[in-house]
Amino acid sequence: GINIISDKNKVNVNKELLPNQLDIFYYQHLNPLDVSYNMPLAIMLKGELKLKALEKSIHIILKHHPMLNSFINLENHKPYLQ
């Protein structure tokens, strides 16, 4: 399997959200069925899949964009980025 989750790629624990991130969080919290900020995507790959190359590519992307490997956690009713 592919291991794409790595502690070295994670955003600092309990980082406060920026004002625009809070806006999106509260909007999504009040409208949980709205998918305006979600962009699902599927790609059909043909041919041989080189797992090591795919894993390396994903790690490079996460290294340059750590926000992709983060989530919002509620602590004392306040959202924090982890």
Side-chain angles (χ1 to χ4, degrees), residues 8-47:
K8 65 183 177 183
N9 292 328
K10 287 189 179 178
V11 175
N12 293 334
V13 176
N14 289 342
K15 185 175 179 181
E16 289 191 25
L17 274 65
L18 298 173
N20 58 337
Q21 293 171 322
L22 277 171
D23 291 345
I24 294 170
F25 172 79
Y26 288 127
Y27 179 82
Q28 186 68 43
H29 192 71
L30 293 172
N31 303 290
L33 299 179
D34 188 341
V35 294
S36 297
Y37 292 100
N38 296 316
M39 296 173 31
L41 175 71
I43 299 172
M44 177 69 75
L45 301 173
K46 293 183 180 181

